[in-house]
Amino acid sequence: MVSVEKFNWKLIRVWMPVNVIFVGMLVSGMYSLKFINVAMVTILKNATNIITAIGEVYMFRKRQNNKVWAAMFMMIISAISGGITDLTFDAVGYSWQLANCFLTASYSLTLRRVMDKAKQSTKSGSLNEVSMVLLNNLLSLPFGIILIILLGEWRYVISTDVTKDAMFWVVATASGFLGLAISFTSMWFLHQTGPTTYSLVGSLNKVPISLAGLVLFNVPLSLPNLFSILFGLFAGVVFARAKMS
C-alpha cells in the first residue's frame, strides 16, 4: 500500500541517536506516571516547551519573541507552585518527569536535525514518514527487549493473570494502533514545521488530558494545587498564541 525506503547501515547509524533518546523518552514517561497523577505530569510537561525553545535558539539560531518568554515564565511558576501544593508529591516521580522533559525536547530537536541528514544516507535521496516510523520502531525493539530482561519485567509478564484477560489484549492492541498514529503524525508534523511549533500544538491538548485525569482517577486535590494546574493550562494556551503571533 505504501512505498518504504530500503534501509542500510549508514542510515541506521545516523538514526541511532534519535532512537536511543526515543526509548529513554518512553521509559521515563512510563515511570513518571507510576508516581505522579496525570494532571501534574501534564503541567510539568510544560518544561519541555521551554527546553525546546532554548534548544532551537542554540541549534537552529531561531529567535523567540518576548511574549513566548513571558509565557515560559508563567509555565515555570505553575510547575513550581504545582509541585509545592501537590498532595501526592513524590520526589522520584518528579525526577523521572524532569528527565522525560529533557529527553522529549532532545527527541524533537535531534529528530528535526537528523531528518535531513538521513535523506542523504538513502539511495533515492528521500525518506518518507512511513519509512521513518518503521525505522524508529524497529530499532527500538532490541532496546525494549534488553530493558525487559535487565529490569526483570519478563517474570511479571509470564506470571500475571492480566495477560489472560481478553479485555487486556483489546486495550493493548488499541494502544498499539494509537501509538502508530502518534508516531506517524509526529513525524509528518515535525517534517512540515519545527520543534517548538510541534511542542506548542501538543501543549493545547493538556487541557482535556488534565481535566480527564483528575476526574477519571479521583485525584486528591487542594484548592492551591487545582489553581496551579489551571494556571499551567492557561500558560500553555498563552504560549501557543504567542508562537502563532
Side-chain angles (χ1 to χ4, degrees):
M1 293 177 66
V2 292
S3 59
V4 179
E5 189 67 37
K6 289 185 178 180
F7 301 144
N8 56 64
W9 285 112
K10 186 180 178 182
L11 176 60
I12 290 171
R13 283 196 300 270
V14 169
W15 201 271
M16 189 60 73
V18 175
N19 194 252
V20 172
I21 297 171
F22 173 72
V23 173
M25 180 184 73
L26 292 180
V27 172
S28 59
M30 292 288 185
Y31 272 95
S32 65
L33 276 171
K34 187 177 179 180
F35 299 100
I36 315 175
N37 67 69
V38 174
M40 277 311 303
V41 165
T42 306
I43 297 307
L44 293 172
K45 275 184 176 290
N46 277 335
T48 303
N49 295 334
I50 300 168
I51 300 166
T52 303
I54 294 171
E56 273 202 320
V57 172
Y58 287 98
M59 291 179 66
F60 302 104
R61 299 290 183 265
K62 187 173 182 180
R63 299 203 173 273
Q64 313 294 346
N65 61 50
N66 291 332
K67 291 180 180 178
V68 171
W69 294 115
M72 289 182 187
F73 182 68
M74 291 170 64
M75 289 176 180
I76 293 171
I77 293 173
S78 70
I80 294 172
S81 61
I84 293 171
T85 58
D86 187 4
L87 296 177
T88 58
F89 179 84
D90 189 292
V92 175
Y94 273 68
S95 299
W96 276 114
Q97 185 52 48
L98 182 63
N100 180 256
C101 289
F102 276 100
L103 288 166
T104 304
S106 300
Y107 175 67
S108 60
L109 290 166
T110 309
L111 181 59
R112 189 67 190 89
R113 171 167 281 186
V114 166
M115 276 180 175
D116 295 327
K117 192 176 179 181
K119 291 177 182 178
Q120 300 169 10
S121 303
T122 61
K123 290 182 180 179
S124 65
S126 65
L127 191 66
N128 60 30
E129 286 78 12
V130 177
S131 298
M132 291 180 194
V133 172
L134 181 62
L135 175 63
N136 203 42
N137 285 279
L138 279 174
L139 290 178
S140 68
L141 285 175
F143 289 110
I145 293 169
I146 291 169
L147 286 171
I148 289 169
I149 294 170
L150 288 177
L151 297 174
E153 289 189 4
W154 63 274
R155 294 191 188 93
Y156 173 78
V157 173
I158 292 172
S159 60
T160 186
D161 292 330
V162 72
T163 54
K164 298 168 187 173
D165 186 355
M167 186 52 66
F168 167 81
W169 291 105
V170 171
V171 174
T173 304
S175 175
F177 278 111
L178 288 171
L180 173 63
I182 290 170
S183 294
F184 179 77
T185 52
S186 296
M187 295 287 185
W188 181 87
F189 196 90
L190 262 174
H191 193 248
Q192 302 297 322
T193 58
T196 305
T197 309
Y198 170 78
S199 295
L200 75 88
V201 173
S203 71
L204 294 177
N205 68 12
K206 288 179 171 60
V207 178
I209 289 175
S210 292
L211 297 177
L214 292 173
V215 174
L216 291 174
F217 299 105
N218 197 23
V219 178
L221 275 177
S222 64
L223 191 60
N225 187 236
L226 178 61
F227 177 76
S228 299
I229 292 170
L230 294 175
F231 185 72
L233 296 175
F234 174 72
V237 175
V238 171
F239 180 77
R241 287 183 62 86
K243 284 299 293 180
M244 285 187 284
S245 64

